[in-house]
Amino acid sequence: MNVIRSQKAWLAPLLAGLAALALLLSGGLASASESDLILPDLSSQSFGGIDGRTLLLGGIGVCVLGFVFGLVTFSQLNKLPVHRAMREISELIYETCKTYLITQFKFILLLEVLIGGVMVLYFGVLRHMEATKVVVILLSSLVGIAGSCGVAWFGMRINTFANSRAAFASLKGKPFPTYAIPLKAGMSIGAVLISTELMLMLMILLFIPADYAGPCFIGFAIGESLGASALRIAGGIFTKIADIGSDLMKIVFNIKEDDARNPGVIADCTGDNAGDSVGPSADGFETYGVTGVALISFILLAVPDTGVQVQLLVWIFVMRIVMVLASIGSYLLNEAIAKASYGDADKMNFEAPLTRLVWLTSIVSVVLTYAVSAFMIPNLGGDPTLWWKLSSIITCGTLAGAIIPEMIKIFTSTESRHVREVVTASREGGASLNVLAGLTAGNFSAYWMGIVLVVLMGISYFFSMMGLGALMIAESVFAFGLVAFGFLGMGPVTIAVDSYGPVTDNAQSVYELSLIENVPNIEAELKKDFGFTPNFEKAKHFLEENDGAGNTFKATAKPVLIGTAVVGATTLIFSIIVVLTSKLTINVDKLSLLHPPFLLGLVTGGAVIYWFTGASTQAVSTGAYRAVEFIKANIRLDGVEKASIADSKKVVEICTQYAQRGMFNIFLGVFFSTLAFACLEPFFFIGYLISIALFGLYQAIFMANAGGAWDNAKKLVEVELKEKGTPLHAATVVGDTVGDPFKDTSSVAMNPVIKFTTLFGLLAVELAIEIDRTTSLVLAAIFFLLSTVFVYRSFYGMRIHSGDEKTAAVGAKATA
């Protein structure tokens, strides 16, 4: 089914939007200005006898080493032993993932035509840049898209290798391999992702002419943000449609999880990769890029001394390079410790080595932060104390990368009192009290997360007041940007523990779908071909227990990324404020609650966040309804061992269809809202951006952690209490299906949406301020009406209809 072609109703508002956009640009021609970000000469400063350019060229070499580490790890996983029954399942999952991804890539290119048109008109027409320069900027955006899509594909491919290898390794009856294989896959993704991102940014910095590099960074960031937004939103919708459709069959037919006869299970496995691997990989790639672009923009706009600009730019990139090495080194050390402790153990706490890895990497990163800063910027701008003050600010973010996961585990771990409260409430109160207990956990978690962020950002603000103001304007904003930078300091490890979850989830599914226990003479075959006798009961127990650890660490990575989005958005919003206030010299009084448009913008941002939450959940609900409807009509429980491939692919098709429709409505709603509010009033728009960041932060944390609590409450009942098939289990399954769109759709997609809105808003507001007030207001009205078309469609075009209702509606329409 070609979903794009079938939705002809989208063409009219799209064409109207493009016409209005052309009018917006034509109105700004008369007063166009030249205000590019010009990079300084990186060779003008020496660091320990090495000039900045040479130092960063060496950084590209380190990135190549990180990339090679990821590829070598990938190769090692591919060569691990696996039984053919399990390999066939993982390859089937890969093929369905590949089909889904190719479809999404085509969709992203369609959206790039829209965004690319805006960039061509902005840079080429409004800014009067020569054609060559505009082409380079467009190519940069395509590189950003290719980067997001490329790392997403790599993450999906390696995870579908690792899932069958982890499932097979569990047959030996030892827990360590079921832990080591998913983490190795995660580190491979993390190393390739961060090394690729950093290498691309260094290449722009070093090889693109200085007057081209600034716009190229903006184009690159918009491209990767577009790719991440589409893959995150669509992936989140897809995975939860499949997950709910599969999970509800456990209650309806009283069958086990991942029953091979359930045609929804393959779609669920595909969704684990589409939503929990593809989406986070693209999101992580974009997060690192956008945060870097935000800091580069700030330094070029807020720091007047070009010598200090060079020192700060080179320092930031060297810090990122060093932290890649810190993450890989910490992983290798941690694995040696874990293997010595658990290599031959019959039981292990799967969360313990993951927790140690996060803390070990954080501590190593902090030590290296101070050491490298003392070497590189011992006397920044004539101040010999700023090196340790800036290091302390980054440390606030680096420690947050370790502290936040510990905070999140309080609300989502299988050992958590909140998760156990969800189970206790469910025992007598059923699904109703299960849901209420999960909502409570989510609310409490948002409070404590907010306090942690305020404390850490407050400490960074304290250090920023100790001399940074002599070098730059708005030094506290720079400090907040460095906190976001520190959040991402141990990037490969953050990505690794996030990617751990989809592998553990898929490994359990691959085990069940392979029907390995039913293969004739399987014990003798495994003994002959692989040299061991399988222990099926231990294998199933370890896979289920490890899936709980995967759930926990998936939950811990989400607030780190959303926190980075919000803190990093602060730095990007500052770039817009600089444009509107001529570097804080005019109109500063309009950044106040006493300026009504600013206050109204704050109110509007919250409204958009709640629409986005509802629209993404609606897409999941309608898609899940269709999936459940099909599965219930086509599932065969008697006389068959497995669902047919055709039925499984049909469920995947349903998931893809509703994921695309939901994503398209949401993306264009966000796109036209951004244009509308930028045209309405620039300081209204600033309030709007601040509001979506803050509302989005707390909504995302609340939803992610409530969902994590429901998910692991179900896991607790299944693994520790061993009460599958009971009313208690049914209650926790219902809670988990409520939590599915909470934790894996709405919450996680806010991260790229916030960053895309802020990045694209940087262009939109500059377009808007170049035209006269009357034209601006007319265009604001046009764009707002266009946004409401897609807001309307996100619900009324996605409503749930039963088969009879659809037939009646069609008949009534025909009669009329």
Side-chain angles (χ1 to χ4, degrees):
M1 175 183 294
N2 189 326
V3 180
I4 302 173
R5 187 177 301 163
S6 69
Q7 300 301 313
K8 294 180 181 178
W10 289 338
L11 293 177
L14 267 178
L15 292 174
L18 288 173
L21 196 55
L23 178 61
L24 166 62
L25 290 155
S26 64
L29 292 181
S31 56
S33 63
E34 293 285 342
S35 59
D36 296 341
L37 298 174
I38 308 297
L39 290 173
D41 180 10
L42 299 174
S43 302
S44 63
Q45 295 289 323
S46 176
F47 301 86
I50 307 173
D51 70 82
R53 181 172 292 275
T54 302
L55 205 56
L56 294 182
L57 282 170
I60 291 179
V62 173
C63 293
V64 171
L65 289 176
F67 192 82
V68 170
F69 170 83
L71 293 181
V72 169
T73 307
F74 175 86
S75 177
Q76 290 172 345
L77 286 168
N78 187 29
K79 292 176 182 177
L80 289 176
V82 60
H83 190 270
R84 64 183 182 281
M86 292 180 170
R87 184 177 58 248
E88 287 168 3
I89 297 299
S90 65
E91 289 304 302
L92 175 60
I93 295 169
Y94 169 66
E95 289 300 322
T96 55
C97 286
K98 185 168 68 173
T99 302
Y100 163 78
L101 268 182
I102 291 171
T103 304
Q104 291 308 113
F105 293 166
K106 292 177 182 177
F107 226 51
I108 291 169
L109 289 176
L110 175 67
L111 296 175
E112 169 65 0
V113 172
L114 188 65
I115 303 301
V118 175
M119 288 193 290
V120 168
L121 293 170
Y122 173 76
F123 289 110
V125 179
L126 182 61
R127 293 301 177 198
H128 298 305
M129 291 181 181
E130 61 269 25
T132 303
K133 196 170 187 178
V134 175
V135 169
V136 171
I137 294 169
L138 276 178
L139 289 175
S140 298
S141 73
L142 290 173
V143 169
I145 290 174
S148 287
C149 294
V151 296
W153 189 292
F154 180 79
M156 177 268 292
R157 175 68 280 198
I158 196 168
N159 281 352
T160 50
F161 272 140
N163 57 17
S164 56
R165 275 66 176 178
F168 182 75
S170 71
L171 294 173
K172 295 180 180 180
K174 299 287 184 180
F176 181 74
T178 61
Y179 146 84
I181 292 173
L183 185 59
K184 177 174 281 195
M187 275 304 299
S188 179
I189 297 169
V192 168
L193 186 154
I194 303 303
S195 297
T196 302
E197 170 68 47
L198 189 52
M199 184 162 55
L200 289 172
M201 294 193 73
L202 284 171
M203 291 174 74
I204 294 175
L205 195 66
L206 291 170
F207 303 124
I208 299 295
D211 58 333
Y212 280 51
C216 282
F217 273 124
I218 298 296
F220 175 71
I222 289 175
E224 59 182 355
S225 189
L226 169 62
S229 298
L231 291 173
R232 253 303 193 187
I233 295 169
I237 295 170
F238 183 109
T239 184
K240 294 304 107 178
I241 291 173
D243 202 355
I244 293 172
S246 177
D247 279 358
L248 288 179
M249 296 306 102
K250 293 186 289 188
I251 299 174
V252 173
F253 295 106
N254 195 27
I255 57 178
K256 64 183 179 180
E257 187 165 5
D258 300 319
D259 194 302
R261 298 169 296 177
N262 181 355
V265 174
I266 290 293
D268 188 15
C269 293
T270 303
D272 287 338
N273 288 282
D276 294 336
S277 177
V278 167
S281 295
D283 190 5
F285 184 83
E286 177 246 9
T287 297
Y288 279 77
V290 172
T291 306
V293 170
L295 284 171
I296 291 169
S297 300
F298 180 94
I299 290 168
L300 297 180
L301 289 168
V303 179
D305 188 320
T306 55
V308 174
Q309 286 181 359
V310 172
Q311 287 180 291
L312 288 174
L313 287 171
V314 175
W315 170 67
I316 283 172
F317 276 97
V318 170
M319 290 298 301
R320 283 198 161 182
I321 293 162
V322 168
M323 289 179 178
V324 170
L325 296 175
S327 293
I328 294 174
S330 298
Y331 163 73
L332 295 174
L333 176 60
N334 186 71
E335 281 308 277
I337 297 171
K339 189 169 185 178
S341 302
Y342 303 112
D344 294 319
D346 292 320
K347 185 175 177 59
M348 70 177 285
N349 181 339
F350 290 105
E351 291 187 13
L354 295 171
T355 301
R356 183 176 58 237
L357 173 61
V358 170
W359 277 103
L360 177 62
T361 309
S362 179
I363 293 168
V364 170
S365 296
V366 168
V367 171
L368 289 175
T369 296
Y370 282 95
V372 172
S373 298
F375 168 74
M376 292 197 63
I377 50 172
N379 191 359
L380 182 65
D383 189 336
T385 66
L386 284 180
W387 70 268
W388 66 262
K389 295 170 184 175
L390 290 173
S391 297
S392 299
I393 293 171
I394 289 182
T395 296
C396 290
T398 307
L399 289 177
I403 293 170
I404 288 175
E406 291 302 310
M407 291 293 300
I408 299 308
K409 283 195 283 185
I410 292 173
F411 302 96
T412 62
S413 170
T414 52
E415 305 296 324
S416 158
R417 286 183 293 174
H418 283 278
V419 171
R420 293 179 182 273
E421 172 78 2
V422 174
V423 175
T424 302
S426 306
R427 190 172 291 280
E428 296 297 335
S432 297
L433 292 189
N434 173 283
V435 170
L436 290 176
L439 293 174
T440 301
N443 281 308
F444 273 116
S445 73
Y447 168 79
W448 287 112
M449 272 289 300
I451 296 299
V452 168
L453 285 174
V454 167
V455 169
L456 291 170
M457 292 178 70
I459 294 171
S460 73
Y461 169 69
F462 169 77
F463 282 112
S464 75
M465 302 302 290
M466 298 170 64
L468 268 182
L471 303 181
M472 63 187 69
I473 59 175
E475 63 277 5
S476 59
V477 177
F478 183 59
F480 295 155
L482 286 182
V483 170
F485 178 90
F487 265 63
L488 303 170
M490 44 187 186
V493 166
T494 302
I495 299 298
V497 297
D498 188 33
S499 298
Y500 186 88
V503 178
T504 60
D505 197 349
N506 259 199
Q508 187 180 0
S509 301
V510 167
Y511 181 95
E512 296 291 349
L513 290 169
S514 69
L515 300 175
I516 191 74
E517 296 178 48
N518 298 337
V519 174
N521 303 314
I522 184 61
E523 293 189 10
E525 180 185 345
L526 292 177
K527 182 67 175 177
K528 177 185 175 183
D529 294 343
F530 299 99
F532 69 89
T533 301
N535 188 323
F536 297 118
E537 291 307 311
K538 281 191 173 182
K540 287 185 284 189
H541 176 77
F542 289 142
L543 289 172
E544 285 190 324
E545 189 177 358
N546 197 26
D547 188 28
N551 290 339
T552 300
F553 277 86
K554 275 194 301 184
T556 63
K558 291 167 186 171
V560 172
L561 291 175
I562 186 64
T564 304
V566 172
V567 178
T570 304
T571 314
L572 284 170
I573 291 168
F574 171 79
S575 299
I576 301 175
I577 291 173
V578 167
V579 172
L580 296 177
T581 61
S582 296
K583 296 191 176 181
L584 306 184
T585 59
I586 60 172
N587 292 327
V588 178
D589 59 307
K590 293 182 179 179
L591 297 168
S592 164
L593 296 180
L594 299 178
H595 183 57
F598 181 80
L599 176 61
L600 293 174
L602 292 175
V603 175
T604 306
V608 170
I609 287 296
Y610 277 89
W611 158 71
F612 171 80
T613 302
S616 52
T617 304
Q618 178 67 31
V620 171
S621 300
T622 306
Y625 181 92
R626 289 282 164 243
V628 168
E629 185 179 51
F630 177 82
I631 294 169
K632 288 172 71 174
N634 292 277
I635 192 170
R636 301 289 181 266
L637 300 178
D638 298 322
V640 297
E641 284 190 325
K642 293 184 178 182
S644 72
I645 298 297
D647 284 347
S648 296
K649 287 185 175 180
K650 179 61 180 177
V651 179
V652 172
E653 182 183 328
I654 291 169
C655 297
T656 303
Q657 175 187 356
Y658 283 93
Q660 287 188 317
R661 289 178 61 186
M663 183 270 288
F664 204 72
N665 284 326
I666 291 168
F667 185 87
L668 289 177
V670 170
F671 175 79
F672 285 119
S673 293
T674 303
L675 288 173
F677 300 140
C679 289
L680 181 61
E681 210 270 353
F683 293 95
F684 175 99
F685 188 59
I686 294 296
Y688 169 73
L689 292 179
I690 293 171
S691 181
I692 64 166
L694 293 178
F695 273 90
L697 171 68
Y698 286 104
Q699 181 78 332
I701 291 171
F702 155 69
M703 297 184 82
N705 294 333
W710 282 315
D711 197 357
N712 267 347
K714 181 191 75 172
K715 190 60 60 179
L716 199 71
V717 170
E718 292 173 344
V719 178
E720 184 174 315
L721 301 180
K722 299 189 182 301
E723 293 192 40
K724 288 184 179 181
T726 66
L728 173 63
H729 185 228
T732 59
V733 169
V734 171
D736 181 40
T737 55
V738 173
D740 278 337
F742 269 53
K743 65 184 175 64
D744 290 324
T745 306
S746 299
S747 61
V748 294
M750 285 185 199
N751 178 19
V753 164
I754 288 170
K755 285 179 291 186
F756 175 80
T757 302
T758 309
L759 264 173
F760 186 65
L762 182 61
L763 298 184
V765 79
E766 285 202 60
L767 290 170
I769 62 178
E770 299 288 351
I771 62 179
D772 67 86
R773 184 69 180 143
T774 302
T775 305
S776 179
L777 289 174
V778 170
L779 289 171
I782 293 172
F783 289 133
F784 180 70
L785 287 174
L786 289 168
S787 73
T788 60
V789 170
F790 294 100
V791 169
Y792 181 91
R793 288 180 59 83
S794 68
F795 175 70
Y796 292 99
M798 300 286 289
R799 291 178 63 192
I800 297 174
H801 296 281
S802 69
D804 291 340
E805 287 176 328
K806 286 182 71 178
T807 302
V810 170
K813 186 175 180 181
T815 303

